[in-house]
Each structure stands twice: as structure tokens, then as C-alpha cells.
Amino acid sequence: MKLLVTGDSIIARNEGLSKPRINVELQQKVLELKLINTAVSGINSGAFYSLLPQLVLKIDCCDKLLLLLGTNDIAQHKQVPRSQFKINMGLIISSVIYSYYPQNIILVSPPAIGKNKQKKEN
């Protein structure tokens, strides 16, 4: 199986490894997995949509697409309005649906965050 994983830093982060942690974990569980990771740390849904051609559409079609976005949209210091996030995600999904059937798109929501642990930059 060939899997394209993309999104924000939760998908991109290496955590001291030579490649993203998610790549290592998934490839240990599914040995025959061919994995492409185009995630970008710090990206929000609007920026992702503008880079969609490079991050998803120009990649040879895979069997499945796993997408995690929203972490940076909800960060206190970035605060993308929910209505705009919904529009961005709609644009992203309608753009990838031509390459990936709906049953081959896996949308993952970001984990819950503690507002008191966020550092707000001025």
C-alpha cells in the first residue's frame, strides 16, 4: 500500500529521529507500506490550501491520503476563525477528491490542547 501523509507539525515532527515519527511508527506496523510525507510544521489550513499543488496534487496518486490540519488554526496566537477553517477545509477536500475517492481520504482532527499551556507571542 502507498500512503501520502500530510498536514502540520504533528505529522512533520521528527522527535529526534532521522525522519518523521509517524513514518517510523506506521512503517513498523505495516512493513510493506510505501509512505510519502509532505507535512509542513507551522502550516495552517489557508497556507496548506495555497501549497496544495506541491503538497498533494503533484505527488503520484497513492492508495490513501491521510490529512491532519487545524492545530495551527486554533492556536491562540494564530486564531483562524472557525468559519474560515471550514471554508479552507472544504476547498482542500473538494480539490483532492478528484485524485482520491472519498473512502481513500482519512481526515484526522488535531489533538486537544490546553489553553493554559499555549505561549502567546506578541
Side-chain angles (χ1 to χ4, degrees):
M1 179 169 80
K2 190 173 171 186
L3 174 66
L4 172 58
V5 295
T6 192
D8 59 34
S9 60
I10 295 186
I11 300 295
R13 66 180 182 211
N14 291 15
E15 297 181 19
L17 301 170
S18 61
K19 56 185 171 181
R21 164 70 85 195
I22 193 167
N23 292 29
V24 172
E25 297 290 334
L26 288 173
Q27 289 174 322
Q28 285 176 351
K29 294 186 183 333
V30 184
L31 298 178
E32 69 279 358
L33 181 66
K34 290 182 173 89
L35 197 139
I36 300 168
N37 189 327
T38 62
V40 178
S41 292
I43 201 164
N44 66 20
S45 60
F48 187 90
Y49 179 64
S50 69
L51 293 174
L52 192 65
Q54 294 80 22
L55 298 175
V56 176
L57 302 178
K58 286 187 179 176
I59 306 297
D60 286 338
C61 194
C62 296
D63 299 309
K64 303 279 183 186
L65 167 66
L66 183 143
L67 172 65
L68 185 153
L69 283 171
T71 309
N72 295 306
D73 295 81
I74 59 175
Q76 278 184 334
H77 61 286
K78 296 184 181 179
Q79 287 292 304
V80 173
R82 195 176 328 165
S83 58
Q84 185 61 52
F85 176 71
K86 183 178 178 181
I87 291 167
N88 295 345
M89 290 303 292
L91 290 168
I92 292 165
I93 292 165
S94 36
S95 297
V96 300
I97 209 82
Y98 295 107
S99 300
Y100 294 92
Y101 291 111
Q103 64 268 25
N104 294 329
I105 300 171
I106 304 161
L107 298 176
V108 181
S109 65
I113 53 171
K115 289 184 179 183
N116 59 342
K117 292 185 179 182
Q118 290 189 46
K119 294 180 181 176
K120 186 174 181 180
E121 297 175 13
N122 293 328

